[in-house]
């Protein structure tokens, strides 16, 4: 019997004890030894529908979001005998907020959308296509995989936009922009990282068309012949700069760092995988998880929620920081030849200058540019989930830095409201910042929802 308890700050390193559910291990179908399938016990609704009209649509679980985390959660819920109602644009953020020509920094094995059904793996999809994905993995191939995955687990998902989520009795009321309402016992928010984009204070008064955040740009060919400054030093900044350069823009990278760093090709790991193919692959994953995170000393602590939670708060923060260090992929340096890089400077002031911008820099110089691309990352703040009703949002307990307090099943302090994705990284570990974290979020979340069902 699996026992869990609510994850507040006082329970660092402890396991939840709210949900009590027997599990079937699924080692064959998942690299993660903690992946499990809750045994289903049949459905007997546990909520009162006294606040819901007779003609209303009533759902056991509503999943809002159809990116990797929403789709993975759907797959695990289905395996647990829960029929989720899925809402969203399949792979919408990846299609609408990522540039053409982008590659994923993670290899294909670390870009698998986790599911207990083995045929939904990225490896299986390559067999369906009859070709192997290249390394690095093109964004177009990953989006295609996600859309195929969606058709398998949620072929009839609702593509309407959600306007509001509020409490209704013991459950929730979800209102669409067209005014229709549906009701659910549980709600899973898998809204991705988009709501948390960070704009530096200097640019708050600058029009978005002159200083767009990197996550709002898809077609970088529009900047051909223009002078473009890219703020940042991580993968997004460096890759956007490379794509802009390849689209004949005049590019300057501006960073406060002393140097721009790149991650070397992990040839030892690559060789290790080649030497342990087929039936040996699950064993190789136990030795070195397919997460593309950490090294031989830290990879398992990052990949395994139980190992992560057993660390001290200071060690957990260190592991989280290690995964967010600004560093570019090994395949970027050759693409950045000829790109100007200004290090050890910050933007101290911004003002309009004709049709462009004048950037005052901390070294006393100035840059005149047509556009500034803000590859300035994301800052988690649950209050930015604008679809949540004000009273519901205020009911969610948060940490001082804006994260929700979650149980290991990713349940918030509002019973039956769950959150999946980067917003859960402080609970289940740094994998939740990446696609590979679906292997942790999906099974834990499904266990929490299915485990609350009354036994017959």
């Amino acid at each position: 019997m699996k026992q869990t308890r609510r994850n507040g700050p006082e329970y660092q390193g402890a396991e939840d004890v709210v949900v009590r559910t027997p599990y079937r291990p699924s080692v064959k179908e998942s690299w993660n030894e903690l992946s499990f399938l809750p045994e289903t016990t049949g459905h007997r609704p546990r909520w009162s529908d006294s606040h819901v009209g007779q003609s209303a649509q009533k759902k056991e679980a509503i999943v809002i979001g159809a990116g990797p985390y929403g789709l993975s959660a759907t797959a695990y819920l289905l395996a647990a005998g829960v029929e989720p109602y899925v809402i969203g644009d399949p792979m919408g953020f990846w299609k609408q907020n990522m540039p053409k020509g982008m590659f994923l920094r993670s290899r294909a094995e670390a870009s698998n959308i986790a599911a207990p059904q083995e045929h939904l793996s990225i490896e299986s999809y390559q067999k369906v296509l009859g070709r192997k994905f290249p390394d690095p993995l093109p964004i177009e191939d990953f989006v295609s995989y996600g859309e195929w995955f969606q058709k398998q687990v949620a072929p009839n998902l609702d593509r309407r936009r959600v306007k509001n989520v509020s409490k209704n009795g013991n459950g929730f009321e979800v209102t669409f922009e067209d005014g229709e309402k549906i009701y659910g016992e549980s709600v899973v928010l898998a809204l991705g990282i988009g709501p948390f984009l960070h704009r530096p204070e200097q640019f708050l008064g600058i029009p978005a068309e002159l200083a767009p955040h990197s996550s709002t740009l898809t077609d970088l060919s529009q900047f051909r012949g223009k002078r473009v400054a890219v703020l940042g030093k991580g993968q997004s900044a460096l890759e956007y700069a490379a794509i802009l350069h390849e689209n004949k823009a005049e590019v300057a990278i501006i960073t406060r760092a002393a140097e721009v760093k790149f991650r070397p090709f992990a040839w030892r790991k690559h060789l290790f995988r080649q030497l342990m193919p087929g039936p040996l692959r699950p064993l190789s994953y136990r030795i070195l998880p397919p997460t593309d995170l950490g090294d031989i000393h830290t990879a398992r602590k990052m990949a395994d929620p139980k190992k992560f939670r057993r660390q001290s708060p200071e060690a957990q923060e260190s592991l989280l920081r290690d995964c967010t260090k600004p560093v570019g992929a090994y395949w970027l340096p050759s693409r950045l030849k000829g790109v100007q890089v200004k290090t050890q400077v910050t933007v101290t002031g911004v003002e309009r200058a004709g049709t462009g911008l004048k950037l005052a820099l901390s070294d006393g110089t100035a840059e005149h540019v047509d556009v500034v691309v803000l590859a300035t990352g994301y800052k988690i703040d649950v209050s930015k989930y604008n679809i949540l009703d004000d009273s519901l949002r205020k009911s969610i307990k948060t940490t001082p830095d804006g994260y929700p307090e979650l149980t290991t099943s990713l349940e918030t302090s509002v019973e039956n409201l769950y959150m999946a994705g980067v917003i859960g990284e402080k609970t289940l570990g740094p994998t939740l910042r990446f696609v590979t974290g679906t292997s942790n979020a999906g099974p834990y979340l499904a266990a929490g929802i299915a485990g609350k069902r009354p036994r017959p």
Side-chain angles (χ1 to χ4, degrees):
M1 299 286 287
K2 181 71 175 178
Q3 298 186 358
T4 60
R5 76 176 156 209
R6 185 163 298 280
N7 172 31
E10 68 276 20
Y11 291 128
Q12 288 294 330
E15 291 306 304
D16 287 346
V17 289
V18 171
V19 180
R20 302 173 62 87
T21 312
Y23 300 97
R24 299 192 304 271
S26 183
V27 174
K28 176 183 177 182
E29 296 178 346
S30 175
W31 69 270
N32 190 333
E33 63 181 335
L34 295 178
S35 294
F36 42 69
L37 298 180
E39 291 184 355
T40 58
T41 57
H43 178 199
R44 285 196 284 171
R46 66 178 185 278
W47 69 319
S48 168
D49 60 1
S50 59
H51 296 74
V52 180
Q54 292 297 315
S55 62
Q57 295 188 52
K58 306 166 190 174
K59 313 296 180 184
E60 183 176 3
I62 298 173
V63 176
I64 303 176
Y69 277 86
L71 296 175
S72 177
T74 297
Y76 278 98
L77 286 168
L78 287 170
V82 177
E83 190 74 31
Y85 188 86
V86 186
I87 304 168
D89 176 15
M91 303 296 290
F93 186 80
W94 294 82
K95 291 184 294 186
Q96 299 162 18
N97 300 77
M98 301 291 177
K100 298 174 184 176
M102 171 186 161
F103 294 99
L104 274 66
R105 189 175 71 177
S106 299
R107 295 168 59 86
E109 68 177 18
S111 303
N112 188 66
I113 301 175
Q117 304 88 347
E118 190 173 6
H119 72 279
L120 295 176
S121 69
I122 196 169
E123 184 176 350
S124 296
Y125 180 58
Q126 293 174 73
K127 292 178 181 178
V128 170
L129 294 181
R131 67 179 178 88
K132 187 174 179 60
F133 287 159
D135 180 30
L137 178 62
I139 183 69
E140 294 79 10
D141 282 334
F142 181 67
V143 168
S144 175
Y145 164 54
E147 291 178 325
W148 171 81
F149 189 108
Q150 171 261 313
K151 291 173 183 175
Q152 314 306 307
V153 300
N156 300 313
L157 90 173
D158 194 326
R159 295 173 184 259
R160 290 177 295 175
R161 295 181 67 88
V162 172
K163 180 180 180 181
N164 188 64
V165 179
S166 59
K167 284 288 291 180
N168 186 292
N170 294 333
F172 298 89
E173 176 182 284
V174 175
T175 305
F176 294 98
E177 287 190 341
D178 63 10
E180 184 178 349
K181 302 177 187 294
I182 60 174
Y183 302 86
E185 298 179 38
S186 299
V187 166
V188 177
L189 298 181
L191 302 179
I193 203 167
F196 308 127
L197 65 85
H198 173 63
R199 292 178 65 87
E201 290 183 7
Q202 302 95 308
F203 293 90
L204 293 182
I206 302 298
E209 59 267 22
L210 292 178
H213 191 274
S214 58
S215 67
T216 64
L217 298 173
T218 55
D219 184 7
L220 300 186
S221 66
Q222 64 182 296
F223 302 114
R224 179 182 295 268
K226 294 184 180 296
R227 172 75 171 165
V228 182
V230 178
L231 256 60
K233 56 186 176 180
Q235 174 69 15
S236 291
L238 299 175
E239 186 167 18
Y240 275 72
I243 299 173
L244 284 163
H245 179 60
E246 291 160 357
N247 278 281
K248 309 303 181 185
E250 183 184 354
V251 185
I253 298 172
I254 298 176
T255 174
R256 71 181 64 187
E259 62 177 330
V260 172
K261 296 182 179 180
F262 298 92
R263 191 184 307 277
F265 176 63
W267 64 268
R268 291 183 179 85
K269 180 178 179 180
H270 182 70
L271 178 61
F272 178 64
R273 291 283 189 257
Q274 288 184 320
L275 294 175
M276 300 188 73
L280 293 177
R281 184 57 54 84
L283 175 60
S284 81
Y285 285 166
R286 289 178 179 274
I287 297 171
L288 195 60
T291 58
D292 273 3
L293 301 177
D295 54 30
I296 193 66
H297 304 291
T298 61
R300 287 185 293 276
K301 296 175 186 177
M302 292 177 177
D304 184 332
K306 286 187 176 179
K307 288 183 172 66
F308 173 78
R309 289 169 59 78
R310 282 199 291 265
Q311 308 303 308
S312 68
E314 294 76 18
Q316 290 180 5
E317 287 297 326
S318 177
L319 292 170
L320 290 168
R321 284 196 303 272
D322 283 349
C323 286
T324 56
K325 285 181 178 178
V327 59
Y330 68 89
W331 37 264
L332 278 172
S334 62
R335 297 174 60 190
L336 289 168
K337 288 182 179 178
V339 173
Q340 180 186 12
V341 181
K342 301 198 71 169
T343 59
Q344 294 182 297
V345 293
T346 59
V347 176
T348 58
V350 185
E351 60 182 64
R352 299 286 292 270
T355 59
L357 296 172
K358 177 183 176 182
L359 308 180
L361 304 181
S362 58
D363 62 358
T365 63
E367 283 280 347
H368 290 80
V369 298
D370 296 298
V371 177
V372 177
V373 174
L374 304 175
T376 46
Y378 303 84
K379 181 175 174 56
I380 305 303
D381 182 355
V382 72
S383 69
K384 292 184 177 180
Y385 277 166
N386 294 328
I387 65 170
L388 294 179
D389 176 82
D390 284 344
S391 62
L392 178 55
R393 192 185 308 124
K394 292 175 182 177
S395 299
I396 299 170
K397 293 181 180 179
T398 60
T399 63
D401 52 355
Y403 286 77
E405 291 184 9
L406 301 173
T407 67
T408 53
S409 61
L410 300 179
E411 185 179 22
T412 70
S413 56
V414 177
E415 187 175 11
N416 301 323
L417 178 64
Y418 299 79
M419 295 182 179
V422 62
I423 205 157
E425 66 176 343
K426 290 199 171 186
T427 303
L428 296 185
T431 61
L432 269 71
R433 183 169 283 266
F434 308 92
V435 175
T436 189
T438 56
S439 62
N440 288 322
Y444 275 93
L445 188 150
I449 292 176
K452 289 189 174 185
R453 285 174 159 181
R455 297 185 179 184

